[in-house]
Amino acid sequence: MSDPEEVSIEITDRARRVLTEIERERESNVALVLNDGCCDGMGPVAVEADTVGVSDVLIGETRDIKVYAPLIRENARTGYELAIDVVESEGVGSFSLEVSLGYRLTVVERRQ
Amino acid sequence: MTTTEKHDLLIDGEFIPATSGERFVTLNPATEEPITEVAAADKEDIDRAVESAHEAYPKWRSTAPEERGRLLTALAARIREETDYLAELETRDNGKPISQARSDVEGCARYFEYYAGIADKIHGDSIPLTDKYVDYTVREPLGVTGQIIPWNFPVNLVGRTIAPALAAGNVAVAKPAEQTPLSALKIGEFALEVGIPPGVLNVVPGFGATAGASLAGHPDVNAISFTGSVVTGRQVAKLGADNVTPVHLELGGKSPNVVFPDADLDHALDETITAIFATNAGQVCSAGSRLLVHESIHSEFVDRLATRASELTVGPGLEDPDVGPLVSSDQHRKVREYVEIGREEVGDPIVGGKTPDHDGYFVEPTIFDDVDNSDRIAQEEIFGPVLSVIEFSDEREAFELANDVDYGLVAGIFTSDVGRAHRFAHEMEAGQVYINEWFAGGVETPFGGYKQSGFGREKGLEAIESYTQVKNVCARIELE
């Protein structure tokens, strides 16, 4: 597992607000699972925190939001800075919880 | 073609608005302009669609298989009749070049035609158990099936996922992707026109987190087909597991396209272009996104490839370019982000990497050379017109590099050495192996993944097995 200190993660105010809205609606904490591949993109997937899978590994935390990567990609982001934001979206093929609110989480990943 | 028509949910043979009244806008990715508004299904609508399918199931299941076949044949013919209309609809909704959309429509018709012919040939086995017993198996439908259809081949995948389900006597609730819902709704309309009973095929566009999750987690759905990412696929599988519902997952790939010096290199060059650029702008699960090329031909082959890639036309799908726009702003952002990750990992691409300065979600065909197989752009599925080139020195290294990825959907090789081709086929951890042609195969050939690319098979006769369950009947016939 990556040392959380090796992945720097920040989240914008507006993204945190969207996640807060989801947490309020669902009466559940929200976590993010980083994704790649196929039709639903590399955007983080927002899930209810208690549904995070046993094969997801914690790579960091930002403003009380835990961020996970699938086990198979656990070291891929070592040394990266992640900037998580949200944009208004026309919809994407994702199960991510913010989509039905008309938003899509985004992530910009750069080496530190 | 109208752009003001509103599209509702197809439930129980009627087009109706969503219970919530919610609608979403589907955009033309070449212009970023709205095409139309579509009803957005949520849990209540999914419940209604599943209930409708459930009610339609006993009659459809008991419909004579040859009659199911006739109806599916009629649907195939209706789809072919409307090829021009459907292709234009698909190009406006998805962005892909019109000639590719036409090919996808033909593929959809072929699926219905192919499975129509199988409907009355779904046999069981007779198992010898001495003369005291008669034992036989029957293949029976599963019941209500759910299809969560992606945006990259919308009309084609309607055929791929729904035709075998209906042929085997199942009923269907299909949720097309919210980016590209229009062709699935039209196929649903055609199904009614040709006489497929109401409720047998329901089409419920909506968002993944609401409509998709409700469908995958519905207790009265008896099978789920999902195509998408690994993370979302796992969510679908978890939802299915709660109801002990079988799930078929097709979760993408990072497929190696391996070129040896003994190949017909002109042909390999053409196929490499097809594999990653000139098919749906690289938005293909089975794209050849890693080019593994032998060191002795690396420079010449990649130079020629770069020249060819730079000459590809990029533009609106209706102008039938080589490369159309990406499907959405989200996909556009994702691919551009991977281009930047690639720049950090290996430097500037040798060709492409830019986005044209006008509306539409376009990305130039892009090639990164001298990529290390451990780089993110060699391991993660970019799902766009971006190729990573990796050099190898011998067959052993090529095969190891080809397998050294979490995905296992497709592996392709270009060589004139028959023995090498079959050694490759034997060693590849992939559901499909292409030899001397990318995208080799057809509706008749099974398709699915190894490793993180998923499980279950679609296409071919295998799909019928995925959409049926086996019942064994054993009778003791010996008199006491």
Side-chain angles (χ1 to χ4, degrees):
Chain A
M1 173 180 167
S2 304
D3 179 343
E5 291 180 6
E6 295 179 49
V7 183
S8 164
I9 305 174
E10 294 192 352
I11 187 168
T12 62
D13 289 343
R14 58 183 176 178
R16 188 64 184 91
R17 277 198 299 273
V18 170
L19 297 182
T20 300
E21 187 178 343
I22 296 167
E23 290 178 326
R24 191 178 303 124
E25 263 189 12
R26 295 195 167 240
E27 299 179 346
S28 170
N29 290 331
V30 167
L32 303 181
V33 182
L34 298 171
N35 200 8
D36 76 274
C38 213
C39 311
D40 41 339
M42 75 182 284
V45 176
V47 299
E48 292 184 12
D50 60 5
T51 68
V52 169
V54 293
S55 64
D56 294 321
V57 291
L58 181 68
I59 63 165
E61 186 168 349
T62 175
R63 297 170 70 175
D64 295 328
I65 297 290
K66 288 186 166 59
V67 180
Y68 296 81
L71 180 61
I72 55 169
R73 306 299 310 146
E74 69 169 326
N75 294 313
R77 293 173 173 86
T78 299
Y80 272 80
E81 291 177 337
L82 276 54
I84 294 166
D85 198 355
V86 69
V87 294
E88 290 186 14
S89 172
E90 76 271 21
V92 291
S94 169
F95 277 39
S96 194
L97 295 175
E98 83 284 3
V99 172
S100 55
L101 299 177
Y103 295 99
R104 185 69 181 104
L105 287 159
T106 65
V107 60
V108 172
E109 306 186 36
R110 294 291 176 268
R111 282 182 168 162
Q112 295 179 34
Chain B
M1 178 174 289
T2 175
T3 56
T4 56
E5 185 181 352
K6 290 187 176 180
H7 294 80
D8 289 327
L9 313 177
L10 175 56
I11 297 176
D12 201 25
E14 293 185 8
F15 285 92
I16 56 174
T19 307
S20 66
E22 292 293 319
R23 309 187 78 82
F24 64 91
V25 174
T26 184
L27 299 177
N28 180 338
T31 62
E32 305 179 34
E33 295 291 325
I35 301 172
T36 189
E37 290 187 356
V38 180
D42 62 15
K43 182 178 181 309
E44 280 185 55
D45 303 300
I46 296 297
D47 288 346
R48 290 161 66 195
V50 171
E51 186 182 343
S52 159
H54 203 261
E55 287 175 4
Y57 174 56
K59 188 175 175 190
W60 181 248
R61 176 188 172 166
S62 61
T63 297
E66 66 266 32
E67 177 60 14
R68 289 202 301 266
R70 282 188 203 107
L71 289 167
L72 296 181
T73 300
L75 179 54
R78 186 76 186 94
I79 291 166
R80 276 210 181 89
E81 236 172 46
E82 297 290 350
T83 295
D84 289 343
Y85 176 87
L86 284 168
E88 184 175 338
L89 190 69
E90 192 83 329
T91 289
R92 288 184 187 280
D93 210 13
N94 168 279
K96 67 178 59 190
I98 188 77
S99 59
Q100 295 177 30
R102 290 180 66 86
S103 172
D104 290 357
V105 174
E106 170 57 21
C108 179
R110 270 291 293 145
Y111 280 117
F112 282 104
E113 188 174 67
Y114 175 79
Y115 288 107
I118 290 172
D120 59 358
K121 301 171 190 69
I122 301 172
H123 299 163
D125 294 318
S126 173
I127 300 171
L129 289 178
T130 78
D131 55 4
K132 296 176 184 171
Y133 300 94
V134 168
D135 191 287
Y136 62 94
T137 63
V138 287
R139 282 205 165 269
E140 298 185 337
L142 294 162
V144 179
T145 62
Q147 291 78 17
I148 301 175
I149 299 170
W151 48 257
N152 58 339
F153 289 86
V155 71
N156 188 277
L157 293 185
V158 164
R160 184 171 107 182
T161 59
I162 293 171
L166 300 192
N170 301 284
V171 290
V173 177
K175 191 204 85 65
E178 52 267 46
Q179 299 92 335
T180 56
L182 302 181
S183 54
L185 288 166
K186 190 54 77 173
I187 301 292
E189 185 182 322
F190 292 160
L192 291 171
E193 284 179 17
V194 302
I196 292 175
V200 170
L201 171 56
N202 302 275
V203 184
V204 281
F207 296 102
T210 47
S214 298
L215 183 59
H218 201 292
D220 292 330
V221 171
N222 306 109
I224 290 287
S225 166
F226 171 80
T227 301
S229 72
V230 173
V231 170
T232 306
R234 289 186 334 191
Q235 289 179 286
V236 170
K238 286 177 191 171
L239 289 164
D242 285 344
N243 297 309
V244 199
T245 299
V247 173
H248 313 137
L249 300 176
E250 200 263 84
L251 305 179
K254 191 72 182 178
S255 299
N257 170 13
V258 186
V259 180
F260 281 88
D262 60 8
D264 176 341
L265 295 180
D266 291 340
H267 176 66
L269 198 64
D270 289 343
E271 292 294 306
T272 299
I273 293 287
T274 300
I276 186 62
F277 300 130
T279 304
N280 208 24
Q283 301 168 113
V284 191
C285 301
S286 48
S289 51
R290 286 187 299 148
L291 173 64
L292 275 55
V293 60
H294 190 265
E295 59 187 6
S296 67
I297 56 169
H298 179 169
S299 293
E300 182 191 349
F301 191 81
V302 173
D303 284 351
R304 292 177 64 194
L305 184 65
T307 301
R308 286 282 303 278
S310 67
E311 293 169 351
L312 295 172
T313 55
V314 179
L318 290 176
E319 296 175 9
D320 206 25
D322 299 309
V323 181
L326 303 183
V327 74
S328 67
S329 60
D330 301 291
Q331 190 64 15
H332 195 225
R333 181 171 50 250
K334 170 198 169 187
V335 172
R336 286 181 294 148
E337 177 64 15
Y338 267 116
V339 169
E340 294 312 307
I341 289 172
R343 286 185 202 279
E344 287 196 335
E345 288 185 314
V346 300
D348 287 338
I350 60 170
V351 67
K354 297 191 290 293
T355 54
D357 185 25
H358 54 72
D359 286 346
Y361 306 128
F362 298 97
V363 171
E364 292 178 345
T366 299
I367 301 174
F368 286 101
D369 197 7
D370 297 322
V371 176
D372 188 284
N373 199 55
S374 64
D375 287 334
R376 290 184 62 185
I377 58 169
Q379 290 288 320
E380 299 178 17
E381 189 177 29
I382 297 172
F383 223 62
V386 181
L387 178 66
S388 297
V389 181
I390 300 155
E391 183 181 288
F392 67 86
S393 57
D394 57 32
E395 179 178 302
R396 174 58 29 216
E397 184 185 19
F399 290 9
E400 286 175 2
L401 287 168
N403 274 332
D404 186 16
V405 67
D406 299 318
Y407 294 105
L409 191 59
V410 161
I413 187 170
F414 290 86
T415 179
S416 58
D417 182 333
V418 174
R420 171 180 282 153
H422 287 285
R423 287 193 294 277
F424 179 80
H426 178 70
E427 291 203 24
M428 286 304 99
E429 299 162 352
Q432 286 70 223
V433 173
Y434 299 150
I435 298 174
N436 291 330
E437 182 181 310
W438 203 268
F439 299 125
V443 302
E444 307 87 346
T445 53
F447 187 86
Y450 280 31
K451 301 195 287 189
Q452 295 290 313
S453 291
F455 51 78
R457 291 294 179 269
E458 292 179 328
K459 302 173 59 180
L461 293 175
E462 295 281 339
I464 294 295
E465 295 190 7
S466 298
Y467 276 119
T468 54
Q469 53 196 334
V470 174
K471 177 183 285 176
N472 188 78
V473 180
C474 187
R476 184 179 178 100
I477 57 171
E478 182 188 50
L479 293 173
E480 290 296 333

